[in-house]
Amino acid sequence: MDIRNIKGLDLLSPLSEVELAVYSHAIRHAGVREGEGALEGFSQHEVETAIQRLAERRLLVGVGSVDTHFVAASPEAASDELAEPAERRARLMRGAADRLRDELTPVYEAGLAQRLRRPAVEELHSVDAVRDQLTKLAAQATFEVLTSQPGGARAEDVLQEAMRRTEELLERGVQMRTLYQHTAQFSATTSAYVEIVTKLGAEVRTLGDGFMRMIAFDREVVVIELRDNPKGALIIREPNIAGFLIDIFNRMWGQAEEFPLDHGRDQAIFASDKTKEDIIRLLVLGEQDKVIARRMGMTVRTCQRHIAKIMERIGAKSRIHAGYLLREYDGNLPSAVTAPDADSGRDD
């Protein structure tokens, strides 16, 4: 019997009656032998099984080169021998844990101090500073990036710069959702960009009006455009503000339409209807042409062309008259007002 290989040893269970009897016998008779025979009240098989169990618990120790003769060990010695391997492993683990603690504590404290030193809201005032920060935040993102980009078609150089970050994020398995305005559908460069990123796993939708320019990273950091400086940005790390902005994005996302890659007549009619509805709503609110154009993501000239056609179809003689008539219709516009134009998707 090899008593050095202990498998499934249950140290928590008490000694059985036969084990107590064999241990007592070994103490009184200076040992016990396998095959010695039965003890009073117990069979030989029960005795031999008890000897093996007691040897596993180090309460019996083999004597000589062949483990058939055993002597009783003190409970204290047995306890020390059984505990020593576990205590040795515990010391090794404690030493490894202490080394890991000593190695990582400076890293943890430095990172924590750096995070605490960061302002909850930080202003950036140049394009280079914004791009540098976006690149860093994108590299640190682990699971989600949300983007809303109003303004219609996006410039080719902006899309090229964004493509590098987007491809790297999607290759790492980061989920991406992007909102554009309906007017972005009619930009060849924007559509080409969307076609590439959607094949890589991104989701892109369009909406008419009513959303801000923002990028959110991992639901922790949100970057928005500075109100008085479109080239700058505001970095928001305050959890409540960031959470509020992300909630707004999710509500807009639920109202948006999937970005179409098939620009057929049906899609042009749909985009035209949506565009007219938003322009009419802004006209009723009394917004000026420049404001409507900016909010709709189109040039002022294109916006004025849409407004002129709307006024013509409702028989308005002025902007004030148009606002009055549109309020009178109260959403029940005649079909001629919202009928699509042949060039409805074109922006000058």
PDB file of all heavy atoms in Angstrom, residues 173-204:
ATOM      1  N   GLY A 173     -14.358  43.589 -32.398  1.00  0.00           N
ATOM      2  CA  GLY A 173     -15.643  43.125 -31.889  1.00  0.00           C
ATOM      3  C   GLY A 173     -16.447  44.171 -31.152  1.00  0.00           C
ATOM      4  O   GLY A 173     -17.430  43.849 -30.488  1.00  0.00           O
ATOM      5  N   VAL A 174     -16.052  45.444 -31.268  1.00  0.00           N
ATOM      6  CA  VAL A 174     -16.799  46.525 -30.626  1.00  0.00           C
ATOM      7  C   VAL A 174     -18.062  46.804 -31.445  1.00  0.00           C
ATOM      8  O   VAL A 174     -17.992  46.942 -32.660  1.00  0.00           O
ATOM      9  CB  VAL A 174     -15.940  47.801 -30.517  1.00  0.00           C
ATOM     10  CG1 VAL A 174     -16.750  48.950 -29.913  1.00  0.00           C
ATOM     11  CG2 VAL A 174     -14.697  47.528 -29.669  1.00  0.00           C
ATOM     12  N   GLN A 175     -19.208  46.865 -30.784  1.00  0.00           N
ATOM     13  CA  GLN A 175     -20.460  47.160 -31.481  1.00  0.00           C
ATOM     14  C   GLN A 175     -20.546  48.656 -31.791  1.00  0.00           C
ATOM     15  O   GLN A 175     -20.214  49.487 -30.955  1.00  0.00           O
ATOM     16  CB  GLN A 175     -21.651  46.746 -30.623  1.00  0.00           C
ATOM     17  CG  GLN A 175     -21.744  45.248 -30.403  1.00  0.00           C
ATOM     18  CD  GLN A 175     -22.968  44.857 -29.604  1.00  0.00           C
ATOM     19  OE1 GLN A 175     -23.606  45.702 -28.975  1.00  0.00           O
ATOM     20  NE2 GLN A 175     -23.317  43.582 -29.615  1.00  0.00           N
ATOM     21  N   MET A 176     -21.034  48.980 -33.001  1.00  0.00           N
ATOM     22  CA  MET A 176     -21.136  50.376 -33.409  1.00  0.00           C
ATOM     23  C   MET A 176     -22.520  50.652 -33.981  1.00  0.00           C
ATOM     24  O   MET A 176     -23.036  49.886 -34.799  1.00  0.00           O
ATOM     25  CB  MET A 176     -20.064  50.720 -34.453  1.00  0.00           C
ATOM     26  CG  MET A 176     -18.652  50.690 -33.915  1.00  0.00           C
ATOM     27  SD  MET A 176     -17.497  51.477 -35.071  1.00  0.00           S
ATOM     28  CE  MET A 176     -18.026  53.192 -34.992  1.00  0.00           C
ATOM     29  N   ARG A 177     -23.111  51.771 -33.529  1.00  0.00           N
ATOM     30  CA  ARG A 177     -24.379  52.252 -34.076  1.00  0.00           C
ATOM     31  C   ARG A 177     -24.218  53.723 -34.439  1.00  0.00           C
ATOM     32  O   ARG A 177     -23.706  54.505 -33.633  1.00  0.00           O
ATOM     33  CB  ARG A 177     -25.511  52.094 -33.060  1.00  0.00           C
ATOM     34  CG  ARG A 177     -25.948  50.650 -32.845  1.00  0.00           C
ATOM     35  CD  ARG A 177     -27.166  50.567 -31.953  1.00  0.00           C
ATOM     36  NE  ARG A 177     -26.840  50.838 -30.561  1.00  0.00           N
ATOM     37  CZ  ARG A 177     -27.702  51.313 -29.668  1.00  0.00           C
ATOM     38  NH1 ARG A 177     -28.947  51.608 -30.027  1.00  0.00           N
ATOM     39  NH2 ARG A 177     -27.342  51.513 -28.418  1.00  0.00           N
ATOM     40  N   THR A 178     -24.659  54.080 -35.655  1.00  0.00           N
ATOM     41  CA  THR A 178     -24.483  55.448 -36.146  1.00  0.00           C
ATOM     42  C   THR A 178     -25.801  55.991 -36.686  1.00  0.00           C
ATOM     43  O   THR A 178     -26.524  55.289 -37.394  1.00  0.00           O
ATOM     44  CB  THR A 178     -23.421  55.488 -37.263  1.00  0.00           C
ATOM     45  OG1 THR A 178     -22.170  55.057 -36.725  1.00  0.00           O
ATOM     46  CG2 THR A 178     -23.260  56.907 -37.806  1.00  0.00           C
ATOM     47  N   LEU A 179     -26.080  57.253 -36.344  1.00  0.00           N
ATOM     48  CA  LEU A 179     -27.244  57.969 -36.843  1.00  0.00           C
ATOM     49  C   LEU A 179     -26.802  59.065 -37.810  1.00  0.00           C
ATOM     50  O   LEU A 179     -25.924  59.866 -37.493  1.00  0.00           O
ATOM     51  CB  LEU A 179     -28.003  58.626 -35.681  1.00  0.00           C
ATOM     52  CG  LEU A 179     -29.059  57.814 -34.941  1.00  0.00           C
ATOM     53  CD1 LEU A 179     -29.584  58.620 -33.766  1.00  0.00           C
ATOM     54  CD2 LEU A 179     -30.199  57.432 -35.867  1.00  0.00           C
ATOM     55  N   TYR A 180     -27.429  59.094 -39.002  1.00  0.00           N
ATOM     56  CA  TYR A 180     -27.268  60.183 -39.946  1.00  0.00           C
ATOM     57  C   TYR A 180     -28.638  60.815 -40.200  1.00  0.00           C
ATOM     58  O   TYR A 180     -29.666  60.275 -39.799  1.00  0.00           O
ATOM     59  CB  TYR A 180     -26.708  59.686 -41.277  1.00  0.00           C
ATOM     60  CG  TYR A 180     -25.260  59.269 -41.245  1.00  0.00           C
ATOM     61  CD1 TYR A 180     -24.868  58.044 -41.766  1.00  0.00           C
ATOM     62  CD2 TYR A 180     -24.295  60.097 -40.706  1.00  0.00           C
ATOM     63  CE1 TYR A 180     -23.535  57.645 -41.748  1.00  0.00           C
ATOM     64  CE2 TYR A 180     -22.963  59.715 -40.683  1.00  0.00           C
ATOM     65  CZ  TYR A 180     -22.593  58.483 -41.197  1.00  0.00           C
ATOM     66  OH  TYR A 180     -21.289  58.110 -41.169  1.00  0.00           O
ATOM     67  N   GLN A 181     -28.630  61.933 -40.918  1.00  0.00           N
ATOM     68  CA  GLN A 181     -29.891  62.514 -41.361  1.00  0.00           C
ATOM     69  C   GLN A 181     -30.312  61.888 -42.677  1.00  0.00           C
ATOM     70  O   GLN A 181     -29.485  61.333 -43.418  1.00  0.00           O
ATOM     71  CB  GLN A 181     -29.765  64.035 -41.490  1.00  0.00           C
ATOM     72  CG  GLN A 181     -29.680  64.728 -40.134  1.00  0.00           C
ATOM     73  CD  GLN A 181     -29.701  66.227 -40.262  1.00  0.00           C
ATOM     74  OE1 GLN A 181     -28.695  66.841 -40.540  1.00  0.00           O
ATOM     75  NE2 GLN A 181     -30.871  66.820 -40.040  1.00  0.00           N
ATOM     76  N   HIS A 182     -31.626  61.990 -42.988  1.00  0.00           N
ATOM     77  CA  HIS A 182     -32.132  61.404 -44.223  1.00  0.00           C
ATOM     78  C   HIS A 182     -31.372  61.904 -45.440  1.00  0.00           C
ATOM     79  O   HIS A 182     -31.134  61.156 -46.398  1.00  0.00           O
ATOM     80  CB  HIS A 182     -33.623  61.730 -44.395  1.00  0.00           C
ATOM     81  CG  HIS A 182     -34.517  61.066 -43.380  1.00  0.00           C
ATOM     82  ND1 HIS A 182     -34.349  59.752 -42.986  1.00  0.00           N
ATOM     83  CD2 HIS A 182     -35.594  61.538 -42.691  1.00  0.00           C
ATOM     84  CE1 HIS A 182     -35.289  59.444 -42.098  1.00  0.00           C
ATOM     85  NE2 HIS A 182     -36.037  60.508 -41.887  1.00  0.00           N
ATOM     86  N   THR A 183     -30.979  63.170 -45.416  1.00  0.00           N
ATOM     87  CA  THR A 183     -30.306  63.757 -46.584  1.00  0.00           C
ATOM     88  C   THR A 183     -28.948  63.117 -46.863  1.00  0.00           C
ATOM     89  O   THR A 183     -28.432  63.232 -47.980  1.00  0.00           O
ATOM     90  CB  THR A 183     -30.127  65.269 -46.377  1.00  0.00           C
ATOM     91  OG1 THR A 183     -29.564  65.511 -45.075  1.00  0.00           O
ATOM     92  CG2 THR A 183     -31.460  65.990 -46.485  1.00  0.00           C
ATOM     93  N   ALA A 184     -28.354  62.419 -45.876  1.00  0.00           N
ATOM     94  CA  ALA A 184     -27.065  61.761 -46.095  1.00  0.00           C
ATOM     95  C   ALA A 184     -27.190  60.596 -47.073  1.00  0.00           C
ATOM     96  O   ALA A 184     -26.189  60.161 -47.663  1.00  0.00           O
ATOM     97  CB  ALA A 184     -26.499  61.265 -44.768  1.00  0.00           C
ATOM     98  N   GLN A 185     -28.416  60.093 -47.267  1.00  0.00           N
ATOM     99  CA  GLN A 185     -28.624  58.958 -48.166  1.00  0.00           C
ATOM    100  C   GLN A 185     -28.211  59.286 -49.605  1.00  0.00           C
ATOM    101  O   GLN A 185     -27.844  58.386 -50.367  1.00  0.00           O
ATOM    102  CB  GLN A 185     -30.100  58.560 -48.184  1.00  0.00           C
ATOM    103  CG  GLN A 185     -30.658  58.155 -46.849  1.00  0.00           C
ATOM    104  CD  GLN A 185     -32.165  57.983 -46.928  1.00  0.00           C
ATOM    105  OE1 GLN A 185     -32.705  57.699 -47.994  1.00  0.00           O
ATOM    106  NE2 GLN A 185     -32.847  58.158 -45.800  1.00  0.00           N
ATOM    107  N   PHE A 186     -28.285  60.564 -49.975  1.00  0.00           N
ATOM    108  CA  PHE A 186     -28.060  60.946 -51.364  1.00  0.00           C
ATOM    109  C   PHE A 186     -26.625  61.397 -51.616  1.00  0.00           C
ATOM    110  O   PHE A 186     -26.327  61.971 -52.656  1.00  0.00           O
ATOM    111  CB  PHE A 186     -29.060  62.035 -51.761  1.00  0.00           C
ATOM    112  CG  PHE A 186     -30.473  61.569 -51.579  1.00  0.00           C
ATOM    113  CD1 PHE A 186     -31.197  61.940 -50.460  1.00  0.00           C
ATOM    114  CD2 PHE A 186     -31.062  60.723 -52.501  1.00  0.00           C
ATOM    115  CE1 PHE A 186     -32.493  61.501 -50.273  1.00  0.00           C
ATOM    116  CE2 PHE A 186     -32.356  60.275 -52.329  1.00  0.00           C
ATOM    117  CZ  PHE A 186     -33.082  60.654 -51.210  1.00  0.00           C
ATOM    118  N   SER A 187     -25.741  61.123 -50.652  1.00  0.00           N
ATOM    119  CA  SER A 187     -24.312  61.393 -50.824  1.00  0.00           C
ATOM    120  C   SER A 187     -23.618  60.093 -51.210  1.00  0.00           C
ATOM    121  O   SER A 187     -23.672  59.104 -50.481  1.00  0.00           O
ATOM    122  CB  SER A 187     -23.710  61.938 -49.526  1.00  0.00           C
ATOM    123  OG  SER A 187     -22.304  61.822 -49.533  1.00  0.00           O
ATOM    124  N   ALA A 188     -22.957  60.081 -52.379  1.00  0.00           N
ATOM    125  CA  ALA A 188     -22.281  58.866 -52.853  1.00  0.00           C
ATOM    126  C   ALA A 188     -21.176  58.428 -51.898  1.00  0.00           C
ATOM    127  O   ALA A 188     -21.018  57.242 -51.606  1.00  0.00           O
ATOM    128  CB  ALA A 188     -21.716  59.102 -54.253  1.00  0.00           C
ATOM    129  N   THR A 189     -20.393  59.410 -51.390  1.00  0.00           N
ATOM    130  CA  THR A 189     -19.288  59.049 -50.494  1.00  0.00           C
ATOM    131  C   THR A 189     -19.813  58.515 -49.159  1.00  0.00           C
ATOM    132  O   THR A 189     -19.274  57.544 -48.622  1.00  0.00           O
ATOM    133  CB  THR A 189     -18.383  60.270 -50.236  1.00  0.00           C
ATOM    134  OG1 THR A 189     -19.179  61.371 -49.766  1.00  0.00           O
ATOM    135  CG2 THR A 189     -17.656  60.677 -51.501  1.00  0.00           C
ATOM    136  N   THR A 190     -20.876  59.132 -48.631  1.00  0.00           N
ATOM    137  CA  THR A 190     -21.445  58.660 -47.378  1.00  0.00           C
ATOM    138  C   THR A 190     -22.041  57.267 -47.549  1.00  0.00           C
ATOM    139  O   THR A 190     -21.853  56.383 -46.700  1.00  0.00           O
ATOM    140  CB  THR A 190     -22.520  59.630 -46.856  1.00  0.00           C
ATOM    141  OG1 THR A 190     -21.970  60.938 -46.765  1.00  0.00           O
ATOM    142  CG2 THR A 190     -23.018  59.195 -45.484  1.00  0.00           C
ATOM    143  N   SER A 191     -22.755  57.049 -48.658  1.00  0.00           N
ATOM    144  CA  SER A 191     -23.352  55.736 -48.910  1.00  0.00           C
ATOM    145  C   SER A 191     -22.274  54.660 -49.064  1.00  0.00           C
ATOM    146  O   SER A 191     -22.428  53.533 -48.578  1.00  0.00           O
ATOM    147  CB  SER A 191     -24.223  55.781 -50.166  1.00  0.00           C
ATOM    148  OG  SER A 191     -25.341  56.604 -49.966  1.00  0.00           O
ATOM    149  N   ALA A 192     -21.178  55.005 -49.741  1.00  0.00           N
ATOM    150  CA  ALA A 192     -20.080  54.044 -49.907  1.00  0.00           C
ATOM    151  C   ALA A 192     -19.469  53.685 -48.555  1.00  0.00           C
ATOM    152  O   ALA A 192     -19.163  52.510 -48.279  1.00  0.00           O
ATOM    153  CB  ALA A 192     -19.015  54.626 -50.835  1.00  0.00           C
ATOM    154  N   TYR A 193     -19.309  54.693 -47.714  1.00  0.00           N
ATOM    155  CA  TYR A 193     -18.783  54.458 -46.366  1.00  0.00           C
ATOM    156  C   TYR A 193     -19.723  53.535 -45.577  1.00  0.00           C
ATOM    157  O   TYR A 193     -19.277  52.571 -44.939  1.00  0.00           O
ATOM    158  CB  TYR A 193     -18.616  55.794 -45.647  1.00  0.00           C
ATOM    159  CG  TYR A 193     -18.323  55.685 -44.170  1.00  0.00           C
ATOM    160  CD1 TYR A 193     -17.030  55.473 -43.709  1.00  0.00           C
ATOM    161  CD2 TYR A 193     -19.346  55.798 -43.231  1.00  0.00           C
ATOM    162  CE1 TYR A 193     -16.759  55.376 -42.349  1.00  0.00           C
ATOM    163  CE2 TYR A 193     -19.094  55.696 -41.868  1.00  0.00           C
ATOM    164  CZ  TYR A 193     -17.801  55.489 -41.440  1.00  0.00           C
ATOM    165  OH  TYR A 193     -17.543  55.380 -40.095  1.00  0.00           O
ATOM    166  N   VAL A 194     -21.022  53.828 -45.632  1.00  0.00           N
ATOM    167  CA  VAL A 194     -21.994  53.030 -44.897  1.00  0.00           C
ATOM    168  C   VAL A 194     -21.999  51.588 -45.393  1.00  0.00           C
ATOM    169  O   VAL A 194     -22.088  50.645 -44.603  1.00  0.00           O
ATOM    170  CB  VAL A 194     -23.404  53.651 -45.017  1.00  0.00           C
ATOM    171  CG1 VAL A 194     -24.457  52.719 -44.419  1.00  0.00           C
ATOM    172  CG2 VAL A 194     -23.435  55.001 -44.311  1.00  0.00           C
ATOM    173  N   GLU A 195     -21.898  51.408 -46.703  1.00  0.00           N
ATOM    174  CA  GLU A 195     -21.893  50.055 -47.265  1.00  0.00           C
ATOM    175  C   GLU A 195     -20.721  49.240 -46.727  1.00  0.00           C
ATOM    176  O   GLU A 195     -20.860  48.056 -46.395  1.00  0.00           O
ATOM    177  CB  GLU A 195     -21.838  50.118 -48.793  1.00  0.00           C
ATOM    178  CG  GLU A 195     -21.958  48.755 -49.453  1.00  0.00           C
ATOM    179  CD  GLU A 195     -22.098  48.854 -50.962  1.00  0.00           C
ATOM    180  OE1 GLU A 195     -22.015  49.985 -51.490  1.00  0.00           O
ATOM    181  OE2 GLU A 195     -22.309  47.805 -51.602  1.00  0.00           O
ATOM    182  N   ILE A 196     -19.557  49.873 -46.608  1.00  0.00           N
ATOM    183  CA  ILE A 196     -18.367  49.173 -46.105  1.00  0.00           C
ATOM    184  C   ILE A 196     -18.529  48.810 -44.632  1.00  0.00           C
ATOM    185  O   ILE A 196     -18.310  47.660 -44.232  1.00  0.00           O
ATOM    186  CB  ILE A 196     -17.107  50.041 -46.307  1.00  0.00           C
ATOM    187  CG1 ILE A 196     -16.804  50.196 -47.798  1.00  0.00           C
ATOM    188  CG2 ILE A 196     -15.902  49.422 -45.590  1.00  0.00           C
ATOM    189  CD1 ILE A 196     -15.710  51.199 -48.103  1.00  0.00           C
ATOM    190  N   VAL A 197     -18.920  49.781 -43.809  1.00  0.00           N
ATOM    191  CA  VAL A 197     -18.953  49.528 -42.369  1.00  0.00           C
ATOM    192  C   VAL A 197     -20.090  48.592 -41.977  1.00  0.00           C
ATOM    193  O   VAL A 197     -19.969  47.837 -40.998  1.00  0.00           O
ATOM    194  CB  VAL A 197     -19.026  50.851 -41.565  1.00  0.00           C
ATOM    195  CG1 VAL A 197     -17.797  51.709 -41.845  1.00  0.00           C
ATOM    196  CG2 VAL A 197     -20.309  51.616 -41.848  1.00  0.00           C
ATOM    197  N   THR A 198     -21.208  48.621 -42.714  1.00  0.00           N
ATOM    198  CA  THR A 198     -22.291  47.691 -42.383  1.00  0.00           C
ATOM    199  C   THR A 198     -21.885  46.252 -42.701  1.00  0.00           C
ATOM    200  O   THR A 198     -22.271  45.320 -41.983  1.00  0.00           O
ATOM    201  CB  THR A 198     -23.580  48.048 -43.143  1.00  0.00           C
ATOM    202  OG1 THR A 198     -23.302  48.195 -44.531  1.00  0.00           O
ATOM    203  CG2 THR A 198     -24.184  49.334 -42.614  1.00  0.00           C
ATOM    204  N   LYS A 199     -21.108  46.061 -43.756  1.00  0.00           N
ATOM    205  CA  LYS A 199     -20.602  44.714 -44.061  1.00  0.00           C
ATOM    206  C   LYS A 199     -19.662  44.221 -42.964  1.00  0.00           C
ATOM    207  O   LYS A 199     -19.542  43.010 -42.732  1.00  0.00           O
ATOM    208  CB  LYS A 199     -19.893  44.711 -45.408  1.00  0.00           C
ATOM    209  CG  LYS A 199     -20.841  44.799 -46.589  1.00  0.00           C
ATOM    210  CD  LYS A 199     -20.090  44.801 -47.913  1.00  0.00           C
ATOM    211  CE  LYS A 199     -21.058  44.868 -49.096  1.00  0.00           C
ATOM    212  NZ  LYS A 199     -20.349  44.908 -50.399  1.00  0.00           N
ATOM    213  N   LEU A 200     -19.007  45.156 -42.289  1.00  0.00           N
ATOM    214  CA  LEU A 200     -18.103  44.794 -41.192  1.00  0.00           C
ATOM    215  C   LEU A 200     -18.843  44.594 -39.867  1.00  0.00           C
ATOM    216  O   LEU A 200     -18.247  44.168 -38.878  1.00  0.00           O
ATOM    217  CB  LEU A 200     -17.034  45.879 -41.007  1.00  0.00           C
ATOM    218  CG  LEU A 200     -16.023  46.035 -42.161  1.00  0.00           C
ATOM    219  CD1 LEU A 200     -15.117  47.232 -41.911  1.00  0.00           C
ATOM    220  CD2 LEU A 200     -15.204  44.760 -42.317  1.00  0.00           C
ATOM    221  N   GLY A 201     -20.137  44.925 -39.852  1.00  0.00           N
ATOM    222  CA  GLY A 201     -20.926  44.675 -38.643  1.00  0.00           C
ATOM    223  C   GLY A 201     -21.553  45.887 -37.987  1.00  0.00           C
ATOM    224  O   GLY A 201     -22.277  45.748 -36.999  1.00  0.00           O
ATOM    225  N   ALA A 202     -21.297  47.086 -38.503  1.00  0.00           N
ATOM    226  CA  ALA A 202     -21.888  48.283 -37.910  1.00  0.00           C
ATOM    227  C   ALA A 202     -23.365  48.398 -38.288  1.00  0.00           C
ATOM    228  O   ALA A 202     -23.812  47.817 -39.279  1.00  0.00           O
ATOM    229  CB  ALA A 202     -21.140  49.531 -38.376  1.00  0.00           C
ATOM    230  N   GLU A 203     -24.110  49.146 -37.479  1.00  0.00           N
ATOM    231  CA  GLU A 203     -25.507  49.453 -37.787  1.00  0.00           C
ATOM    232  C   GLU A 203     -25.627  50.948 -38.051  1.00  0.00           C
ATOM    233  O   GLU A 203     -25.080  51.755 -37.291  1.00  0.00           O
ATOM    234  CB  GLU A 203     -26.416  49.068 -36.619  1.00  0.00           C
ATOM    235  CG  GLU A 203     -26.477  47.583 -36.314  1.00  0.00           C
ATOM    236  CD  GLU A 203     -27.418  47.292 -35.160  1.00  0.00           C
ATOM    237  OE1 GLU A 203     -28.636  47.294 -35.359  1.00  0.00           O
ATOM    238  OE2 GLU A 203     -26.906  47.088 -34.035  1.00  0.00           O
ATOM    239  N   VAL A 204     -26.369  51.320 -39.105  1.00  0.00           N
ATOM    240  CA  VAL A 204     -26.517  52.726 -39.477  1.00  0.00           C
ATOM    241  C   VAL A 204     -27.990  52.999 -39.769  1.00  0.00           C
ATOM    242  O   VAL A 204     -28.636  52.245 -40.502  1.00  0.00           O
ATOM    243  CB  VAL A 204     -25.660  53.088 -40.707  1.00  0.00           C
ATOM    244  CG1 VAL A 204     -25.771  54.580 -41.005  1.00  0.00           C
ATOM    245  CG2 VAL A 204     -24.201  52.696 -40.483  1.00  0.00           C
TER     246      VAL A 204
END
